[in-house]
Amino acid sequence: MTSSTKYKVIAPLAAATVALAGLAMIDKLPEPTSAVTRAGHSPTTRVDGVAHQAGAVTQDQHAEIIDYWTDERMAAAQPITALVDSALEITEPVLPAPTDDAVEPQAARPDSEGETWNDGGLVTRTTGKVYLTMDGRDFTCSASVVDSANESTLVTAGHCAKDGKGAWARNWTFVPGHDDGDAPHGKFTARDLIVSPKWAKEADDSYDFAMVVLNEADSTTVQDRVGSQRLSFDTWTEDRVNQGVQVYTFGYPSASPFDGKNLHYCSGRTVPDTGGTTANGVRCSMTQGSSGGPWFADFDPSTGQGNIASVVSFKYADDRTIQYGPRLGSEARRLYERASEL
């Protein structure tokens, strides 16, 4: 789907690097972060049509990852693909970011292009910031808690779990309700990362979604701690795709001009991607770091609840006004069912 003039800017790091400038660009990237823990990572396995990777599977591995994420490392982590943007001297999105000036909070709007979410509700607890290490560098993403039998399952972007056909993420840690650097509901490490084989083998953007199963924190599941959202696997019917679906998308954008401290949202009616994927797009100024954040259909701003039908996936560099998300359908359901069993 990419070309020399139309590439992704919220995307797998390795794939974007090769698509933009070949292997020569690797020389321009910063040195890897030192002292990266290797807790709990065994070779990739494929079970029941999914690709998955073990995370922290012992208490010692969980503790090692929690210790790894010092305040300094968390503050220094960059949004995924920020290194690629930096090498290309891309610093601003087409749309200006809404300001966070000290003004009276406004009610949720159906046509937001990236304002701070001020309406509270369940979404402020179930959406969180993700910290991870990929190819020796520390990054941030977003994710959401979803209702599951194990009370420990998240949905996020595939490239927040595995770098397309490249490396799996390590040190994967979820901070629900992240608020200006604080972790009001604790930190949860991943014990399993699950993606579609179409993402793991082909980096197909139509399948840029992942399910992540978390460890408990202080003997409490994440769902018991913060609640959960519903997943929808039948939102994207042909009629609804053609008509457009009213969505609300959430995340922690961290690339300039955002700072990753607070939850932001976009809202509007979707349009289908014409670049070769089955993804859908919505007008949005949110930048990298929002990757993996939930897209809600049938969202109720008064309660902060809805049906997650997609996740923040990518933008095109020659039109940074539109944020795209893959359709959660039968393949996502297979991943979810597998995750719920773990």
Side-chain angles (χ1 to χ4, degrees):
M1 91 175 226
T2 59
S3 70
S4 59
T5 59
K6 199 169 190 180
Y7 55 82
K8 296 167 289 180
V9 294
I10 299 180
L13 179 62
T17 300
V18 173
L20 293 174
L23 297 178
M25 178 170 287
I26 294 175
D27 295 334
K28 299 182 180 181
L29 301 179
E31 289 299 314
T33 304
S34 60
V36 177
T37 177
R38 297 182 179 273
H41 283 271
S42 58
T44 302
T45 57
R46 292 179 172 82
V47 180
D48 298 333
V50 305
H52 77 105
Q53 175 81 6
V57 295
T58 69
Q59 186 58 38
D60 286 345
Q61 291 167 351
H62 164 80
E64 185 180 358
I65 292 175
I66 292 296
D67 289 344
Y68 176 81
W69 289 113
T70 62
D71 290 345
E72 293 74 20
R73 279 205 176 101
M74 293 172 73
Q78 300 184 52
I80 279 191
T81 74
L83 298 179
V84 174
D85 276 7
S86 176
L88 291 172
E89 299 181 353
I90 298 173
T91 57
E92 297 290 338
V94 172
L95 293 173
T99 62
D100 288 328
D101 296 336
V103 296
E104 199 68 27
Q106 297 181 350
R109 295 169 36 212
D111 59 351
S112 167
E113 294 182 359
E115 284 83 0
T116 304
W117 178 256
N118 293 311
D119 272 27
L122 184 64
V123 70
T124 63
R125 302 192 301 275
T126 56
T127 311
K129 192 167 182 176
V130 174
Y131 293 88
L132 61 103
T133 304
M134 190 87 77
D135 294 318
R137 300 177 178 87
D138 293 336
F139 293 108
T140 65
C141 273
S142 302
S144 178
V145 184
V146 296
D147 186 50
S148 65
N150 61 20
E151 298 188 344
S152 298
T153 300
L154 306 180
V155 66
T156 187
H159 69 265
C160 294
K162 189 178 189 299
D163 188 17
K165 293 181 283 187
W168 285 92
R170 300 176 183 273
N171 302 325
W172 214 95
T173 301
F174 178 65
V175 183
H178 179 280
D179 183 21
D180 197 11
D182 293 333
H185 308 296
K187 301 174 184 177
F188 294 78
T189 61
R191 59 185 168 91
D192 216 302
L193 311 173
I194 304 174
V195 301
S196 167
K198 292 181 181 293
W199 179 254
K201 294 179 179 180
E202 305 170 28
D204 185 335
D205 295 287
S206 297
Y207 300 90
D208 185 17
F209 44 76
M211 303 293 165
V212 177
V213 182
L214 301 178
N215 291 298
E216 294 181 354
D218 299 324
S219 301
T220 304
T221 65
V222 68
Q223 188 170 323
D224 190 49
R225 182 75 56 84
V226 303
S228 62
Q229 301 282 359
R230 297 183 299 271
L231 277 173
S232 172
F233 302 109
D234 55 9
T235 294
W236 306 104
T237 63
E238 184 176 353
D239 285 345
R240 295 194 76 182
V241 168
N242 292 335
Q243 295 169 2
V245 176
Q246 176 67 37
V247 296
Y248 284 75
T249 81
F250 291 84
Y252 288 88
S254 302
S256 176
F258 296 90
D259 59 15
K261 292 182 178 181
N262 303 109
L263 185 65
H264 288 255
Y265 79 108
C266 291
S267 54
R269 298 196 73 83
T270 59
V271 295
D273 180 28
T274 59
T277 78
T278 59
N280 295 275
V282 66
R283 189 171 176 83
C284 187
S285 70
M286 289 198 295
T287 56
Q288 299 94 319
S290 61
S291 287
W295 278 40
F296 289 94
D298 307 312
F299 182 73
D300 183 351
S302 67
T303 63
Q305 294 177 279
N307 297 317
I308 299 177
S310 183
V311 294
V312 178
S313 178
F314 66 92
K315 286 185 176 182
Y316 290 110
D318 60 354
D319 184 4
R320 306 185 99 198
T321 65
I322 305 296
Q323 171 198 94
Y324 290 91
R327 303 175 191 174
L328 299 187
S330 59
E331 185 78 355
R333 185 193 297 273
R334 182 160 43 251
L335 269 61
Y336 166 75
E337 290 174 349
R338 175 60 179 157
S340 299
E341 296 170 352
L342 298 177

